[in-house]
Amino acid sequence: MTTLAGPGAASSVGSALDRVEGLEKVTGRAKYAYEYAPDDLVYAAPVQAGIARGEVRAVDADAALKLPGVIAAIWYGNAPRLAPAENAELSVLQSRRVAYRGQYVAVVVAETLENAVEAARLLRVDYDVEEHDVELRADHPGMYRPERVNPVYPADTEQGDPDAALAAAEVVVDEVYSTPAEHNNPMEPHATVAVWDGDGLTLYDSTQGATSVRDIVAPLFGLPPGNVRVVSPHVGGGFGSKGTPLSPVVLAALAAKHAGRPVKLAVTRSQMFSVIGYRTPTIQRIRLGADARGHLGVIVHDVFEQSSRIREFAEQTATPTRMMYAAPNRRTTHRLVRLDVPTPSWMRAPGEAPGMFALESALDELAFACGIDPIELRVRNEPETDPESGLPFSSRNLVACMREGARRFGWADRDPAPGVRLRDGLLVGTGVAASTYPVYRRPSKASATALADGTFTVRIAAMDIGTGARTALTQIAADTLGVPPGLVRVEIGDSALPDASLAGGSMGTASWGTAVVRACEALTGALRERDGQVPPDGVEVSADTAREIGGERRFAQHAFGAQFAEVGVDPATGETRVLRLLGVFAAGRIVNPKTARSQFVGGMTMGMSMALLEESVMDREFGDYLNHDLAQYHVAACADVRDVEAVWIEEDDPHLNPMGTKGIGEIGIVGTAAAVANAVHHATGVRVRDLPIRIDRLVR
């Protein structure tokens, strides 16, 4: 007999439960995609295009095929045919056309990785080369207005008369900010092991969405989704780059089909700078008009960004400007140019991260121009409702985050004058910026099973990309069932489990947690009908949240935060060090304080890296990113984070989901770069509007 205390009786949610898979990871038992080794396994080594635009004229594979152990060389001429794909990046080896340097043009399969790599080097590809264009500029003649920006926002919005309001404003900020291309570099590179069994395909894949990989890859090979299984119980980071299937997973499946044997393919660190997406570079013009007391009358945010020739991806860079501050006159625009470059994609907080750098930097400039404290300026421009939709906020505690952060950071003692504080030979300054991220939730399914031994199993095709999702779902299930978390086992990371939305958009816990709660509620009801009696084969129920989540929103739903930074700048060299970072967040109910702090601090560290280090440099002559490894593409290391702290305020929002949660995976990065840049201005008096804040930009 199983006894349930019922919802609310336990209090696992809110406790700092250790990761339930922690022992597996520290002992090496946790298996990642590349570690699967089915019988008769062979290795694939891709061949990348050596030109930025043109066509493959001929492929000579003779030298490659003569190497010992080489099984096949595959290119457009002999590759298995795929069904047309909405995302042309997935039409791997289906055409002679080359859309960007580094695009896959062939793949070699061999008995060993070493032989495959050597054969790929020997495979000769001749091209008909065409002139390429890889430079983003705001005045590019190819700029156009996309129909929408990611995911389904309108490209442009306008209210009132922004131009007249700017002309009449007492104080105007009119500046251009830019962010470079930035590349995802998760610790675990993209990797796939592809195994065909007749008309069935199994993919051991490093992905943020097993269900979406199944549903997108299956039709490419003319298969029903049920014939494809995607297994991914452990993922070593993704940051958006593994959000949807990309060309490597298709190439692995295609190579396995051609070779007739299981194929293992790992994307090298260098190759990741071509084929797994990146954050588009942006050029952003911000115009703010206010009265002398800092009350905004107008906000205009114009964005210019790039995509590839073969696929449109328009980042939603100006969307946070639409809801952050009150102003009766407002306009946001997005313009896109298609270049001979790889297709940009999601990178942690797409849109919000670069967009809020520009907006929050401009707010700091306005505060300085008006002689108003930057926190007070933001408080004065708090909207009562969403400025563009008119919807009430389900909860909005930005001001509370600012006030609490100011108290913890010692903001009241701040001297607002820039460039006047010298400490230990460094110019020292502090800065602040707001952060925000929308609340998303997508339909998912889950099953819950009560077993005769008194334990419970919850199944859902959710993904844990290092966030602690497996642990959070265990806590949510335990509380709903009213039992200790040690009695609950959560199975995730397999498309054979009930369908789940991907791990992205900071919506995992909200989406999967809702399905888990509903399944556990249904299981509780089923057990009560049986008076707690569980037969030997258990009691299983399932839930589908499609109807619950499909309704229209009655509230504007966002998480908010305040980022504080203290920097020290060497006045002789321009070298900048972040001395302190503090983030204060309002993100609904926190399921697990330990994993939540890890997410906030990770995001803030990535935001600091964005401010000072990360920059993918395009070689205009060859159409390739020059710094395509971690020796030259610099990211923040532990030594760069001297003092970083993340805290949150209690926020009870009943309009979100059964758990009362908001996403926390991405809001940490948002605003951090602006806070650092604002602190650099406070330290030096130099305003750097182009990221990263390099030494040459400071001393210049």
Side-chain angles (χ1 to χ4, degrees), residues 324-336:
M324 275 304 294
Y325 301 110
N329 305 283
R330 48 203 312 120
R331 180 168 63 235
T332 63
T333 68
H334 295 82
R335 296 295 178 267
L336 192 66

Side-chain angles (χ1 to χ4, degrees), residues 409 414 421 427-431 565-569 678-680 682-684:
F409 201 71
R414 181 181 191 260
R421 285 154 303 281
L427 288 166
V428 177
T430 54
E566 181 181 50
V567 303
V569 181
N678 294 340
V680 167
H682 187 233
T684 64

Side-chain angles (χ1 to χ4, degrees), residues 97 202 242 270 422 539 552 598 657:
R97 290 297 303 172
T202 299
K242 300 174 183 177
S270 178
L422 201 63
V539 177
E552 203 170 314
S598 177
N657 51 62

Side-chain angles (χ1 to χ4, degrees), residues 106-330:
V107 63
V108 176
V109 180
E111 297 283 354
T112 68
L113 176 61
E114 292 78 10
N115 278 358
V117 170
E118 177 64 10
R121 188 184 67 82
L122 293 176
L123 189 134
R124 179 178 173 180
V125 183
D126 293 326
Y127 302 95
D128 290 322
V129 182
E130 301 172 11
E131 187 175 348
H132 63 259
D133 180 3
V134 295
E135 182 183 3
L136 172 67
R137 61 182 197 274
D139 63 350
H140 195 291
M143 282 288 175
Y144 71 97
R145 179 172 65 86
E147 182 178 340
R148 65 186 184 190
V149 294
N150 179 58
V152 289
Y153 295 113
D156 297 356
T157 61
E158 183 168 351
Q159 292 179 342
D161 191 339
D163 296 323
L166 280 168
E170 294 179 79
V171 183
V172 173
V173 170
D174 185 349
E175 299 293 350
V176 175
Y177 306 84
S178 73
T179 60
E182 298 164 350
H183 278 81
N184 288 298
N185 275 283
M187 185 179 295
E188 179 200 20
H190 291 235
T192 305
V193 175
V195 184
W196 286 89
D197 182 7
D199 288 333
L201 171 63
T202 299
L203 298 168
Y204 302 95
D205 189 44
S206 180
T207 177
Q208 292 175 227
T211 300
S212 64
V213 171
R214 178 200 67 194
D215 292 346
I216 293 173
V217 170
L220 292 176
F221 291 92
L223 301 174
N227 284 31
V228 176
R229 182 183 179 192
V230 181
V231 180
S232 188
H234 299 282
V235 181
F239 307 107
S241 70
K242 300 174 183 177
T244 57
L246 299 172
S247 53
V249 65
V250 179
L251 187 65
L254 182 148
K257 187 174 184 65
H258 182 91
R261 292 172 65 178
V263 164
K264 178 178 287 190
L265 185 152
V267 181
T268 67
R269 186 65 61 181
S270 178
Q271 291 169 0
M272 286 175 64
F273 284 77
S274 300
V275 296
I276 59 97
Y278 58 98
R279 195 191 301 283
T280 176
T282 71
I283 301 169
Q284 305 177 56
R285 184 184 180 190
I286 298 274
R287 284 172 283 176
L288 305 176
D291 62 24
R293 292 178 52 78
H295 294 106
L296 284 165
V298 56
I299 303 174
V300 177
H301 191 170
D302 301 311
V303 180
F304 305 89
E305 51 197 30
Q306 71 185 35
S307 193
S308 69
R309 302 277 186 192
I310 61 175
R311 183 189 178 209
E312 179 184 277
F313 179 84
E315 187 147 315
Q316 69 278 28
T317 307
T319 55
T321 300
R322 298 172 182 176
M323 46 66 61
M324 275 304 294
Y325 301 110
N329 305 283
R330 48 203 312 120

Side-chain angles (χ1 to χ4, degrees), residues 385-634:
T385 60
D386 186 300
E388 292 202 0
S389 72
L391 291 173
F393 290 101
S394 63
S395 56
R396 180 181 170 113
N397 284 297
L398 174 59
V399 172
C401 292
M402 287 279 174
R403 298 295 194 210
E404 177 63 14
R407 183 186 70 80
R408 289 174 175 265
F409 201 71
W411 189 264
D413 300 327
R414 181 181 191 260
D415 176 0
V420 297
R421 285 154 303 281
L422 201 63
R423 185 202 309 162
D424 298 330
L426 300 177
L427 288 166
V428 177
T430 54
V432 66
S435 57
T436 188
Y437 200 78
V439 172
Y440 294 121
R441 192 167 56 140
R442 295 290 181 267
S444 293
K445 300 176 182 178
S447 69
T449 304
L451 302 174
D453 63 0
T455 65
F456 302 86
T457 300
V458 173
R459 296 181 176 91
I460 181 171
M463 310 300 300
D464 194 330
I465 59 174
T467 57
R470 190 182 269 103
T471 305
L473 293 177
T474 299
Q475 293 174 268
I476 290 168
D479 271 18
T480 307
L481 294 168
V483 300
L487 295 180
V488 178
R489 181 171 183 266
V490 172
E491 296 181 6
I492 63 172
D494 190 329
S495 67
L497 300 172
D499 293 355
S501 60
L502 59 86
S506 294
M507 63 183 177
T509 300
S511 303
W512 310 326
T514 301
V516 167
V517 167
R518 300 308 181 215
C520 290
E521 288 174 341
L523 180 59
T524 300
L527 290 174
R528 284 177 179 156
E529 290 178 1
R530 293 171 169 266
D531 294 324
Q533 299 298 320
V534 179
D537 57 349
V539 177
E540 180 175 336
V541 300
S542 60
D544 184 345
T545 63
R547 180 174 296 180
E548 176 179 350
I549 293 177
E552 203 170 314
R553 285 194 174 187
R554 297 178 294 114
F555 297 94
Q557 297 177 336
H558 304 264
F560 292 93
Q563 307 280 13
F564 293 80
E566 181 181 50
V567 303
V569 181
D570 189 313
T573 67
E575 182 182 11
T576 300
R577 292 287 186 185
V578 174
L579 307 178
R580 283 191 296 155
L581 278 179
L582 169 67
V584 182
F585 303 97
R589 190 182 186 193
I590 300 300
V591 174
N592 186 315
K594 184 178 293 187
T595 56
R597 182 185 180 277
S598 177
Q599 285 298 292
F600 287 135
V601 168
M604 292 166 63
T605 305
M606 200 167 174
M608 185 193 73
S609 193
M610 175 183 177
L612 298 180
L613 300 171
E614 295 195 42
E615 178 180 24
S616 299
V617 180
M618 175 61 74
D619 184 322
R620 297 177 189 172
E621 181 178 355
F622 292 101
D624 194 13
Y625 288 108
L626 288 167
N627 52 334
H628 45 73
D629 56 47
L630 291 180
Q632 300 177 85
Y633 182 91
H634 296 157

Side-chain angles (χ1 to χ4, degrees), residues 4 90 119 209 272 450 495 694:
L4 302 179
L90 302 182
M272 286 175 64
S495 67
R694 299 195 312 247

